[in-house]
Amino acid sequence: MFREFLFYIRIMKRLLLLLVTTSFAFSLLSQSQNAASIYNNLGIEKYKAQDYEGSLDDFNTSIYIDSTISHHYGNRGIAKLKLNDFEGALQDFNKAVELNPASVDAYFNRGSAQSTAGMYQMAIKDFDFVVDKDPNDKEAFLYRGISYEKMELTKTAINDYTAALDIDPTYKQAYYHRGNALNTKDDFEDAIDDFNRAIHYKYISAEVYEQAGMAKLGVGNYFGALKAFDNAIKLNTDSPEAYYQRGVAKYNLHKDDEACSDWVKANALGHPYAQPTLEKYCKKSKRK
């Protein structure tokens, strides 16, 4: 009876030690995850403030503390993209997918990085995963469309842009990119409509006005093109294409001197066709 009692005490001590050890381990793990989350959140705030170097430092610290959290790698990868470290970003997105193979965000981020790096087929595979898991992810359709367009699969790209707009009819980026794709197919009227919608929904950039100007040149609306290129140049005074095409619009409006001035500016900015155009239209006697 006495031996049995001593054995019982010994077992209880071991159980107590195991419980204490396990509790301590869980406490350390919890503290580690909390500390990692704190640095991750600090990194997010610095990223929002456009302090990308600072955010990268915090994401590094969060991963150093706990290297098992998928979305921390994803966040660090996004910061690396902003710092033009595409290889490092891809490594982080690969790790995020490895740690959480079901994460839609991990696949989306990796697809975005691959598209930026010109790895369009691989990007499309990742975006395929995203839209399969979430058919309402408008950004996945948009970026997959961009990848298709880069591969000159314009019709497929337009289908993806349209799918994004079916999800969100106010999606200004999709209108802009679909307008670009329509321009390449010489479908200028529909392109103009898309650019107008993009501008209506406040997608204000030199590029959208420049592309709208190109579409208006395509339909012979030279006054509309001139206005569009004026707006493009207001937003970006160093665009050789905007100056060159504004010159084309002015020449068609019989504003020859102004056209030549724009081509001179385009030539100074390095436009490849500006010099031949100057020689052809501006060094001869004025047309009658």
Side-chain angles (χ1 to χ4, degrees):
M1 187 74 179
F2 183 68
R3 287 181 180 179
E4 290 177 359
F5 181 71
L6 288 178
F7 179 74
Y8 171 78
I9 291 175
R10 185 180 299 173
I11 291 295
M12 290 303 295
K13 283 182 177 179
R14 288 182 178 179
L15 286 173
L16 182 61
L17 179 60
L18 178 62
L19 286 171
V20 170
T21 303
T22 303
S23 176
F24 181 68
F26 275 116
S27 176
L28 286 178
L29 177 61
S30 177
Q31 290 176 22
S32 172
Q33 290 176 339
N34 287 339
S37 294
I38 289 170
Y39 278 101
N40 179 67
N41 292 336
L42 287 171
I44 291 171
E45 292 305 314
K46 289 179 181 178
Y47 183 91
K48 290 178 180 178
Q50 299 183 3
D51 178 9
Y52 304 123
E53 291 281 1
S55 71
L56 180 61
D57 287 341
D58 284 334
F59 294 138
N60 284 338
T61 303
S62 72
I63 291 169
Y64 177 78
I65 293 170
D66 188 339
S67 60
T68 67
I69 304 175
S70 172
H71 66 274
H72 290 190
Y73 285 96
N75 290 339
R76 188 172 71 174
I78 293 170
K80 287 179 178 179
L81 276 182
K82 283 292 186 180
L83 295 168
N84 296 319
D85 180 7
F86 297 111
E87 183 177 349
L90 276 174
Q91 289 175 352
D92 277 346
F93 295 142
N94 284 333
K95 186 67 176 180
V97 170
E98 176 189 326
L99 289 170
N100 187 359
S103 172
V104 169
D105 288 338
Y107 279 93
F108 178 85
N109 289 333
R110 188 172 69 178
S112 299
Q114 289 167 339
S115 183
T116 302
M119 303 161 63
Y120 303 121
Q121 289 182 326
M122 296 179 70
I124 287 167
K125 288 182 180 179
D126 278 349
F127 293 132
D128 286 345
F129 177 89
V130 176
V131 298
D132 181 61
K133 296 294 183 182
D134 183 2
N136 291 315
D137 193 322
K138 63 181 184 181
E139 291 184 327
F141 280 107
L142 175 70
Y143 286 102
R144 190 175 70 175
I146 292 171
S147 296
Y148 278 127
E149 192 172 356
K150 293 291 187 180
M151 295 175 66
E152 299 183 357
L153 298 171
T154 307
K155 184 177 179 180
T156 308
I158 290 172
N159 289 340
D160 268 356
Y161 300 142
T162 301
L165 288 166
D166 287 340
I167 297 166
D168 180 2
T170 70
Y171 196 13
K172 56 191 178 183
Q173 291 88 344
Y175 282 116
Y176 167 70
H177 284 285
R178 190 173 70 176
N180 283 347
L182 291 167
N183 256 358
T184 65
K185 292 174 64 66
D186 295 341
D187 189 352
F188 300 122
E189 292 287 359
D190 286 340
I192 290 168
D193 184 58
D194 273 353
F195 293 131
N196 286 340
R197 288 175 182 270
I199 293 167
H200 173 75
Y201 290 118
K202 308 302 181 185
Y203 192 80
I204 308 300
S205 70
E207 291 77 16
V208 69
Y209 282 114
E210 191 172 299
Q211 290 299 318
M214 297 289 289
K216 289 175 182 179
L217 282 180
V219 298
N221 180 1
Y222 301 120
F223 282 109
L226 176 59
K227 184 177 179 180
F229 292 127
D230 282 342
N231 286 328
I233 290 168
K234 285 178 183 177
L235 293 169
N236 180 8
T237 59
D238 294 322
S239 170
E241 192 66 31
Y243 284 105
Y244 181 83
Q245 299 297 346
R246 188 173 72 172
V248 173
K250 288 177 176 178
Y251 190 82
N252 281 281
L253 292 168
H254 296 275
K255 299 182 178 183
D256 295 14
D257 290 340
E258 292 183 27
C260 291
S261 294
D262 274 349
W263 290 331
V264 167
K265 180 67 173 179
N267 187 53
L269 291 170
H271 195 285
Y273 302 125
Q275 185 60 39
T277 303
L278 284 166
E279 292 174 359
K280 183 175 182 178
Y281 296 105
C282 300
K283 290 189 176 182
K284 297 178 181 180
S285 59
K286 294 184 179 179
R287 60 185 171 183
K288 295 181 180 179

PDB file of all heavy atoms in Angstrom, residues 101-125:
ATOM      1  N   PRO A 101      -1.121  26.489 -48.696  1.00  0.00           N
ATOM      2  CA  PRO A 101      -1.455  26.209 -50.098  1.00  0.00           C
ATOM      3  C   PRO A 101      -2.892  26.570 -50.477  1.00  0.00           C
ATOM      4  O   PRO A 101      -3.221  26.575 -51.658  1.00  0.00           O
ATOM      5  CB  PRO A 101      -1.235  24.700 -50.220  1.00  0.00           C
ATOM      6  CG  PRO A 101      -0.368  24.331 -49.057  1.00  0.00           C
ATOM      7  CD  PRO A 101      -0.731  25.278 -47.962  1.00  0.00           C
ATOM      8  N   ALA A 102      -3.721  26.877 -49.500  1.00  0.00           N
ATOM      9  CA  ALA A 102      -5.112  27.237 -49.789  1.00  0.00           C
ATOM     10  C   ALA A 102      -5.326  28.745 -49.818  1.00  0.00           C
ATOM     11  O   ALA A 102      -6.451  29.203 -50.032  1.00  0.00           O
ATOM     12  CB  ALA A 102      -6.038  26.607 -48.748  1.00  0.00           C
ATOM     13  N   SER A 103      -4.263  29.503 -49.615  1.00  0.00           N
ATOM     14  CA  SER A 103      -4.401  30.955 -49.502  1.00  0.00           C
ATOM     15  C   SER A 103      -4.578  31.603 -50.871  1.00  0.00           C
ATOM     16  O   SER A 103      -3.664  31.602 -51.702  1.00  0.00           O
ATOM     17  CB  SER A 103      -3.166  31.554 -48.810  1.00  0.00           C
ATOM     18  OG  SER A 103      -3.204  32.969 -48.872  1.00  0.00           O
ATOM     19  N   VAL A 104      -5.748  32.178 -51.094  1.00  0.00           N
ATOM     20  CA  VAL A 104      -6.014  32.899 -52.336  1.00  0.00           C
ATOM     21  C   VAL A 104      -5.092  34.102 -52.466  1.00  0.00           C
ATOM     22  O   VAL A 104      -4.562  34.405 -53.542  1.00  0.00           O
ATOM     23  CB  VAL A 104      -7.495  33.326 -52.388  1.00  0.00           C
ATOM     24  CG1 VAL A 104      -7.742  34.300 -53.535  1.00  0.00           C
ATOM     25  CG2 VAL A 104      -8.400  32.104 -52.550  1.00  0.00           C
ATOM     26  N   ASP A 105      -4.868  34.807 -51.355  1.00  0.00           N
ATOM     27  CA  ASP A 105      -4.010  35.999 -51.383  1.00  0.00           C
ATOM     28  C   ASP A 105      -2.581  35.646 -51.782  1.00  0.00           C
ATOM     29  O   ASP A 105      -1.935  36.398 -52.516  1.00  0.00           O
ATOM     30  CB  ASP A 105      -4.004  36.681 -50.013  1.00  0.00           C
ATOM     31  CG  ASP A 105      -5.324  37.372 -49.704  1.00  0.00           C
ATOM     32  OD1 ASP A 105      -6.059  37.673 -50.664  1.00  0.00           O
ATOM     33  OD2 ASP A 105      -5.612  37.602 -48.525  1.00  0.00           O
ATOM     34  N   ALA A 106      -2.085  34.522 -51.286  1.00  0.00           N
ATOM     35  CA  ALA A 106      -0.714  34.117 -51.617  1.00  0.00           C
ATOM     36  C   ALA A 106      -0.567  33.880 -53.115  1.00  0.00           C
ATOM     37  O   ALA A 106       0.413  34.309 -53.736  1.00  0.00           O
ATOM     38  CB  ALA A 106      -0.331  32.865 -50.830  1.00  0.00           C
ATOM     39  N   TYR A 107      -1.549  33.215 -53.706  1.00  0.00           N
ATOM     40  CA  TYR A 107      -1.498  32.963 -55.152  1.00  0.00           C
ATOM     41  C   TYR A 107      -1.656  34.260 -55.938  1.00  0.00           C
ATOM     42  O   TYR A 107      -0.984  34.463 -56.959  1.00  0.00           O
ATOM     43  CB  TYR A 107      -2.577  31.963 -55.566  1.00  0.00           C
ATOM     44  CG  TYR A 107      -2.193  30.530 -55.312  1.00  0.00           C
ATOM     45  CD1 TYR A 107      -2.536  29.886 -54.120  1.00  0.00           C
ATOM     46  CD2 TYR A 107      -1.483  29.796 -56.259  1.00  0.00           C
ATOM     47  CE1 TYR A 107      -2.178  28.570 -53.883  1.00  0.00           C
ATOM     48  CE2 TYR A 107      -1.125  28.482 -56.039  1.00  0.00           C
ATOM     49  CZ  TYR A 107      -1.475  27.866 -54.846  1.00  0.00           C
ATOM     50  OH  TYR A 107      -1.113  26.554 -54.613  1.00  0.00           O
ATOM     51  N   PHE A 108      -2.546  35.140 -55.474  1.00  0.00           N
ATOM     52  CA  PHE A 108      -2.739  36.410 -56.173  1.00  0.00           C
ATOM     53  C   PHE A 108      -1.453  37.236 -56.153  1.00  0.00           C
ATOM     54  O   PHE A 108      -1.034  37.778 -57.190  1.00  0.00           O
ATOM     55  CB  PHE A 108      -3.873  37.219 -55.533  1.00  0.00           C
ATOM     56  CG  PHE A 108      -4.072  38.555 -56.185  1.00  0.00           C
ATOM     57  CD1 PHE A 108      -4.863  38.682 -57.315  1.00  0.00           C
ATOM     58  CD2 PHE A 108      -3.443  39.686 -55.681  1.00  0.00           C
ATOM     59  CE1 PHE A 108      -5.027  39.919 -57.931  1.00  0.00           C
ATOM     60  CE2 PHE A 108      -3.602  40.923 -56.295  1.00  0.00           C
ATOM     61  CZ  PHE A 108      -4.402  41.038 -57.422  1.00  0.00           C
ATOM     62  N   ASN A 109      -0.829  37.335 -54.991  1.00  0.00           N
ATOM     63  CA  ASN A 109       0.403  38.121 -54.879  1.00  0.00           C
ATOM     64  C   ASN A 109       1.515  37.539 -55.749  1.00  0.00           C
ATOM     65  O   ASN A 109       2.252  38.277 -56.413  1.00  0.00           O
ATOM     66  CB  ASN A 109       0.849  38.188 -53.425  1.00  0.00           C
ATOM     67  CG  ASN A 109      -0.060  39.061 -52.575  1.00  0.00           C
ATOM     68  OD1 ASN A 109      -0.691  39.982 -53.074  1.00  0.00           O
ATOM     69  ND2 ASN A 109      -0.134  38.768 -51.288  1.00  0.00           N
ATOM     70  N   ARG A 110       1.624  36.216 -55.742  1.00  0.00           N
ATOM     71  CA  ARG A 110       2.667  35.602 -56.566  1.00  0.00           C
ATOM     72  C   ARG A 110       2.378  35.822 -58.050  1.00  0.00           C
ATOM     73  O   ARG A 110       3.282  36.116 -58.839  1.00  0.00           O
ATOM     74  CB  ARG A 110       2.785  34.107 -56.262  1.00  0.00           C
ATOM     75  CG  ARG A 110       3.987  33.470 -56.963  1.00  0.00           C
ATOM     76  CD  ARG A 110       4.226  32.045 -56.507  1.00  0.00           C
ATOM     77  NE  ARG A 110       3.183  31.133 -56.963  1.00  0.00           N
ATOM     78  CZ  ARG A 110       3.181  29.821 -56.728  1.00  0.00           C
ATOM     79  NH1 ARG A 110       4.175  29.282 -56.025  1.00  0.00           N
ATOM     80  NH2 ARG A 110       2.204  29.049 -57.163  1.00  0.00           N
ATOM     81  N   GLY A 111       1.108  35.720 -58.422  1.00  0.00           N
ATOM     82  CA  GLY A 111       0.744  35.975 -59.804  1.00  0.00           C
ATOM     83  C   GLY A 111       1.065  37.398 -60.227  1.00  0.00           C
ATOM     84  O   GLY A 111       1.571  37.635 -61.336  1.00  0.00           O
ATOM     85  N   SER A 112       0.820  38.361 -59.349  1.00  0.00           N
ATOM     86  CA  SER A 112       1.124  39.762 -59.646  1.00  0.00           C
ATOM     87  C   SER A 112       2.619  39.967 -59.852  1.00  0.00           C
ATOM     88  O   SER A 112       3.044  40.668 -60.777  1.00  0.00           O
ATOM     89  CB  SER A 112       0.622  40.666 -58.514  1.00  0.00           C
ATOM     90  OG  SER A 112      -0.770  40.558 -58.364  1.00  0.00           O
ATOM     91  N   ALA A 113       3.417  39.343 -58.996  1.00  0.00           N
ATOM     92  CA  ALA A 113       4.873  39.467 -59.115  1.00  0.00           C
ATOM     93  C   ALA A 113       5.359  38.823 -60.406  1.00  0.00           C
ATOM     94  O   ALA A 113       6.221  39.369 -61.108  1.00  0.00           O
ATOM     95  CB  ALA A 113       5.554  38.827 -57.903  1.00  0.00           C
ATOM     96  N   GLN A 114       4.811  37.657 -60.724  1.00  0.00           N
ATOM     97  CA  GLN A 114       5.223  36.968 -61.949  1.00  0.00           C
ATOM     98  C   GLN A 114       4.846  37.779 -63.186  1.00  0.00           C
ATOM     99  O   GLN A 114       5.623  37.869 -64.137  1.00  0.00           O
ATOM    100  CB  GLN A 114       4.578  35.585 -61.994  1.00  0.00           C
ATOM    101  CG  GLN A 114       5.169  34.612 -60.980  1.00  0.00           C
ATOM    102  CD  GLN A 114       4.338  33.363 -60.800  1.00  0.00           C
ATOM    103  OE1 GLN A 114       3.146  33.345 -61.107  1.00  0.00           O
ATOM    104  NE2 GLN A 114       4.956  32.314 -60.285  1.00  0.00           N
ATOM    105  N   SER A 115       3.678  38.391 -63.168  1.00  0.00           N
ATOM    106  CA  SER A 115       3.263  39.221 -64.300  1.00  0.00           C
ATOM    107  C   SER A 115       4.182  40.421 -64.454  1.00  0.00           C
ATOM    108  O   SER A 115       4.603  40.764 -65.567  1.00  0.00           O
ATOM    109  CB  SER A 115       1.816  39.678 -64.109  1.00  0.00           C
ATOM    110  OG  SER A 115       1.369  40.431 -65.221  1.00  0.00           O
ATOM    111  N   THR A 116       4.534  41.045 -63.332  1.00  0.00           N
ATOM    112  CA  THR A 116       5.430  42.195 -63.361  1.00  0.00           C
ATOM    113  C   THR A 116       6.801  41.810 -63.915  1.00  0.00           C
ATOM    114  O   THR A 116       7.438  42.598 -64.623  1.00  0.00           O
ATOM    115  CB  THR A 116       5.592  42.783 -61.949  1.00  0.00           C
ATOM    116  OG1 THR A 116       4.302  43.152 -61.446  1.00  0.00           O
ATOM    117  CG2 THR A 116       6.482  44.017 -61.959  1.00  0.00           C
ATOM    118  N   ALA A 117       7.235  40.588 -63.614  1.00  0.00           N
ATOM    119  CA  ALA A 117       8.544  40.114 -64.061  1.00  0.00           C
ATOM    120  C   ALA A 117       8.504  39.521 -65.466  1.00  0.00           C
ATOM    121  O   ALA A 117       9.523  39.016 -65.947  1.00  0.00           O
ATOM    122  CB  ALA A 117       9.081  39.084 -63.073  1.00  0.00           C
ATOM    123  N   GLY A 118       7.347  39.577 -66.116  1.00  0.00           N
ATOM    124  CA  GLY A 118       7.235  39.048 -67.472  1.00  0.00           C
ATOM    125  C   GLY A 118       7.005  37.554 -67.546  1.00  0.00           C
ATOM    126  O   GLY A 118       7.081  36.971 -68.633  1.00  0.00           O
ATOM    127  N   MET A 119       6.684  36.935 -66.422  1.00  0.00           N
ATOM    128  CA  MET A 119       6.436  35.484 -66.388  1.00  0.00           C
ATOM    129  C   MET A 119       4.928  35.261 -66.537  1.00  0.00           C
ATOM    130  O   MET A 119       4.241  34.795 -65.622  1.00  0.00           O
ATOM    131  CB  MET A 119       6.979  34.910 -65.073  1.00  0.00           C
ATOM    132  CG  MET A 119       8.465  35.195 -64.866  1.00  0.00           C
ATOM    133  SD  MET A 119       9.022  35.039 -63.139  1.00  0.00           S
ATOM    134  CE  MET A 119       8.714  33.309 -62.827  1.00  0.00           C
ATOM    135  N   TYR A 120       4.409  35.571 -67.706  1.00  0.00           N
ATOM    136  CA  TYR A 120       2.965  35.692 -67.883  1.00  0.00           C
ATOM    137  C   TYR A 120       2.231  34.361 -67.788  1.00  0.00           C
ATOM    138  O   TYR A 120       1.144  34.294 -67.190  1.00  0.00           O
ATOM    139  CB  TYR A 120       2.670  36.362 -69.229  1.00  0.00           C
ATOM    140  CG  TYR A 120       3.314  37.716 -69.362  1.00  0.00           C
ATOM    141  CD1 TYR A 120       4.216  37.985 -70.386  1.00  0.00           C
ATOM    142  CD2 TYR A 120       3.051  38.730 -68.435  1.00  0.00           C
ATOM    143  CE1 TYR A 120       4.820  39.226 -70.500  1.00  0.00           C
ATOM    144  CE2 TYR A 120       3.656  39.969 -68.541  1.00  0.00           C
ATOM    145  CZ  TYR A 120       4.537  40.210 -69.577  1.00  0.00           C
ATOM    146  OH  TYR A 120       5.140  41.432 -69.682  1.00  0.00           O
ATOM    147  N   GLN A 121       2.786  33.303 -68.343  1.00  0.00           N
ATOM    148  CA  GLN A 121       2.106  32.011 -68.276  1.00  0.00           C
ATOM    149  C   GLN A 121       1.981  31.514 -66.838  1.00  0.00           C
ATOM    150  O   GLN A 121       0.933  30.995 -66.439  1.00  0.00           O
ATOM    151  CB  GLN A 121       2.839  30.988 -69.137  1.00  0.00           C
ATOM    152  CG  GLN A 121       2.696  31.250 -70.637  1.00  0.00           C
ATOM    153  CD  GLN A 121       3.374  30.201 -71.478  1.00  0.00           C
ATOM    154  OE1 GLN A 121       4.413  29.656 -71.094  1.00  0.00           O
ATOM    155  NE2 GLN A 121       2.811  29.904 -72.640  1.00  0.00           N
ATOM    156  N   MET A 122       3.039  31.682 -66.059  1.00  0.00           N
ATOM    157  CA  MET A 122       2.996  31.274 -64.654  1.00  0.00           C
ATOM    158  C   MET A 122       2.021  32.148 -63.870  1.00  0.00           C
ATOM    159  O   MET A 122       1.298  31.676 -62.992  1.00  0.00           O
ATOM    160  CB  MET A 122       4.397  31.339 -64.048  1.00  0.00           C
ATOM    161  CG  MET A 122       5.372  30.359 -64.674  1.00  0.00           C
ATOM    162  SD  MET A 122       7.038  30.454 -63.964  1.00  0.00           S
ATOM    163  CE  MET A 122       6.720  29.772 -62.332  1.00  0.00           C
ATOM    164  N   ALA A 123       2.001  33.438 -64.213  1.00  0.00           N
ATOM    165  CA  ALA A 123       1.065  34.350 -63.559  1.00  0.00           C
ATOM    166  C   ALA A 123      -0.370  33.924 -63.832  1.00  0.00           C
ATOM    167  O   ALA A 123      -1.212  33.896 -62.914  1.00  0.00           O
ATOM    168  CB  ALA A 123       1.300  35.782 -64.043  1.00  0.00           C
ATOM    169  N   ILE A 124      -0.661  33.581 -65.064  1.00  0.00           N
ATOM    170  CA  ILE A 124      -2.017  33.174 -65.442  1.00  0.00           C
ATOM    171  C   ILE A 124      -2.447  31.942 -64.650  1.00  0.00           C
ATOM    172  O   ILE A 124      -3.595  31.847 -64.203  1.00  0.00           O
ATOM    173  CB  ILE A 124      -2.090  32.930 -66.958  1.00  0.00           C
ATOM    174  CG1 ILE A 124      -2.040  34.282 -67.695  1.00  0.00           C
ATOM    175  CG2 ILE A 124      -3.361  32.168 -67.331  1.00  0.00           C
ATOM    176  CD1 ILE A 124      -1.783  34.163 -69.180  1.00  0.00           C
ATOM    177  N   LYS A 125      -1.535  30.988 -64.440  1.00  0.00           N
ATOM    178  CA  LYS A 125      -1.870  29.790 -63.647  1.00  0.00           C
ATOM    179  C   LYS A 125      -2.270  30.161 -62.220  1.00  0.00           C
ATOM    180  O   LYS A 125      -3.216  29.602 -61.664  1.00  0.00           O
ATOM    181  CB  LYS A 125      -0.683  28.830 -63.631  1.00  0.00           C
ATOM    182  CG  LYS A 125      -0.440  28.122 -64.958  1.00  0.00           C
ATOM    183  CD  LYS A 125       0.723  27.149 -64.860  1.00  0.00           C
ATOM    184  CE  LYS A 125       0.964  26.446 -66.190  1.00  0.00           C
ATOM    185  NZ  LYS A 125       2.106  25.506 -66.120  1.00  0.00           N
TER     186      LYS A 125
END
